[in-house]
Amino acid sequence: MNILINNVKIVDAKRAFHGSILIENGFIKRMFKADEDVNISNDTEIIEGKGLVLLPSFVDMHCHLRDPGYLYKEDLESGQKAALKGGYTTLCTMANTKPVCDNTLVLEYILDKSKKLDLCDIIQVSALTRNLEGKEFVNFEEMLRHTRLFSDDGNTIFNEEVMKKALILSNKLNFRVLTHCQPEFEIVKRDLGLLKEVGGNLHICHISLEKTLGLIKEFKDTNLKFTCEVTPHHIFGYEVDYRVNPSFRKKEDVKSLIEGIKQGYIDVIATDHAPHSLEDKQNGAPGISLIEVAFSMVYKVFHENGISLNKLSELMSYNPARILNLNCGLIEEGYEANLVLVDLDEEYQIDTDNFISKGKNNPFNGEKVLGKVKMTFKRGSVKYDNR
Ligand code: NCD
């Protein structure tokens, strides 16, 4: 099936123009400028894009779908449907499931179930150590058959020798270590120091403090291989009384993260979508459910701070796709037609009652956000349609 998305504003990390896009067999076949003649076959479906913006769909390097084990919080179907509603087509799902994803049995269960669902593309993150205990490594050889991402996520690796060894192996076996750092500044400082000492591939999850950004700046121009992310909620709100890891920070931290984005120090915006039940939240579980409103939260912040949509696309699609070696994240001929059609002018209130996600835990319920996802395409097929 061929699709023409007609008369639309096309924006990615590198371009912004009015025109049309022809999708053939799941790939971007041709792009037409507004003044060019569009010649297409009779069986092409035409989607009118007037007044809307077409972006590469979003790639989430960090989320929790809770399957297996915590299906009352989320499952692979609810989480991926929520993601598609939010404009995401690729998700890196964290290993803190039950059982923990530290072996191929669990990993293959997640990949097989997701393949059958045919919703998002799932890149499962393997635990770095068995049962996320920070002691004994998983079997890298086996896990590397399916993934190049390893993380103990919420469990900081406190043992320096374990972290050092992980970095050495990440270089040798060509994988990436995703780190959750608590206390943030101290652990990021330690890990960047270790990276300098032994090399390796590091991705620093959800930085949230001005002083951590200072470390990132200090190490950025070296040839060390590291990237870092911020979450939508850590640039959207400050001093919010709601439990999440890392915590909500001060206004100055938020301002500096936004400056850091403008100056090019932040590589990725990742959601850290962490759905929980009401009861679990009441019992102190940290985390926010936000994948279906993440784009609107980020766009509102970017719009208010004069940051371009190109930059948003760079952080939410292009950079994560490059880091993960995917053939998407740009609107260019030959790329997979993973796309999202948005209405930038639509303002709406977050309403957790309308969440597809089972997690209704979002402290911004009722707040206004900007920019709404209308359609999401994965390899040319419509996976979400809200026109
Ligand atoms: C994470 C979760 O719920 O899985 N929560 C969060 O606040 N980010 C775990 C964690 O990182 O602590």
Side-chain angles (χ1 to χ4, degrees), residues 12 15 21-31 322 326-339 379-380:
D12 68 11
R15 51 179 71 76
I21 292 272
L22 179 64
I23 301 169
E24 218 175 270
N25 301 323
F27 288 85
I28 298 167
K29 175 76 177 172
R30 263 206 75 176
M31 311 204 283
R322 293 292 77 70
L326 307 175
N327 182 31
C328 63
L330 272 185
I331 302 187
E332 222 164 81
E333 287 165 11
Y335 275 66
E336 284 179 357
N338 291 356
L339 302 164
R379 276 188 287 290

Side-chain angles (χ1 to χ4, degrees), residues 86-317:
Y88 287 87
T89 51
T90 306
L91 309 176
C92 300
T93 42
M94 285 293 172
N96 60 342
T97 48
K98 194 171 81 184
V100 167
C101 184
D102 62 3
N103 62 78
T104 48
L105 217 64
V106 176
L107 202 146
E108 282 164 9
Y109 157 82
I110 295 167
L111 295 183
D112 289 349
K113 184 168 171 184
S114 300
K115 198 167 175 200
K116 285 191 192 106
L117 286 167
D118 190 22
L119 295 165
C120 294
D121 288 334
I122 298 295
I123 301 175
Q124 178 61 38
V125 180
S126 165
L128 183 62
T129 66
R130 290 196 192 278
N131 206 29
L132 307 170
E133 284 171 0
K135 293 177 189 153
E136 199 189 326
F137 287 125
V138 297
N139 184 331
F140 287 116
E141 203 182 314
E142 281 188 3
M143 298 311 258
L144 279 164
R145 295 209 305 265
H146 300 288
T147 185
R148 304 223 152 258
L149 303 179
F150 291 81
S151 179
D152 277 1
D153 189 62
N155 297 21
T156 300
I157 307 270
F158 287 109
N159 186 322
E160 197 171 313
E161 285 310 308
V162 172
M163 190 60 195
K164 197 190 255 187
K165 188 90 191 285
L167 288 173
I168 293 170
L169 288 169
S170 74
N171 197 19
K172 195 167 152 204
L173 303 174
N174 189 24
F175 62 79
R176 191 174 296 258
V177 181
L178 279 53
T179 52
H180 176 112
C181 302
Q182 271 183 303
E184 183 175 301
F185 176 79
E186 288 75 9
I187 299 289
V188 172
K189 189 169 181 198
R190 180 201 70 181
D191 289 352
L192 286 171
L194 289 175
L195 193 67
K196 195 170 169 190
E197 188 186 331
V198 299
N201 306 305
L202 180 69
H203 176 76
I204 303 165
C205 293
H206 44 51
I207 71 158
S208 62
L209 291 167
E210 183 173 12
K211 58 181 182 176
T212 313
L213 183 66
L215 287 173
I216 303 290
K217 289 183 181 174
E218 195 183 316
F219 283 83
K220 190 74 178 182
D221 289 330
T222 60
N223 51 12
L224 300 181
K225 287 189 230 158
F226 76 92
T227 47
C228 71
E229 72 188 32
V230 296
T231 71
H233 43 283
H234 288 108
I235 55 171
F236 191 86
Y238 54 88
E239 290 180 24
V240 182
D241 184 17
Y242 199 80
R243 186 142 192 249
V244 63
N245 285 331
S247 331
F248 279 102
R249 305 301 191 181
K250 295 197 175 351
K251 193 174 180 178
E252 302 81 72
D253 293 302
V254 172
K255 270 170 78 177
S256 76
L257 290 181
I258 292 170
E259 278 310 302
I261 287 172
K262 285 187 185 170
Q263 294 163 356
Y265 290 108
I266 309 295
D267 304 290
V268 169
I269 290 178
T271 67
D272 195 10
H273 174 70
H276 290 290
S277 67
L278 192 63
E279 196 185 343
D280 288 352
K281 273 314 273 186
Q282 280 163 353
N283 290 328
I288 295 179
S289 170
L290 77 164
I291 203 158
E292 53 208 282
V293 293
F295 162 72
S296 311
M297 289 168 70
V298 174
Y299 181 64
K300 184 178 187 209
V301 173
F302 275 38
H303 183 73
E304 284 171 353
N305 288 278
I307 308 176
S308 71
L309 200 55
N310 301 98
K311 190 72 183 172
L312 181 146
S313 188
E314 182 187 328
L315 269 58
M316 294 183 70
S317 305

